[in-house]
Amino acid sequence: MIAFDISHPCLTFDKWRQVLIADPKYRVTEVRRNVLLSER
């Protein structure tokens, strides 16, 4: 897995429909729907 950081949340939230939540060992533990992204 490649881990990276973003400079500003808007760079992610306006492009991704789902957000992956990972634990400290970079294992995906849950997937959350991006409620800030309007349906297009």
Side-chain angles (χ1 to χ4, degrees), residues 8-33:
H8 196 274
C10 291
L11 297 174
T12 299
F13 294 133
D14 70 342
K15 294 174 178 51
W16 300 97
R17 295 187 186 273
Q18 298 173 332
V19 179
L20 302 177
I21 307 299
D23 67 11
K25 292 184 179 182
Y26 302 107
R27 295 178 296 204
V28 175
T29 57
E30 59 182 296
V31 179
R32 294 189 182 172
R33 193 176 119 231

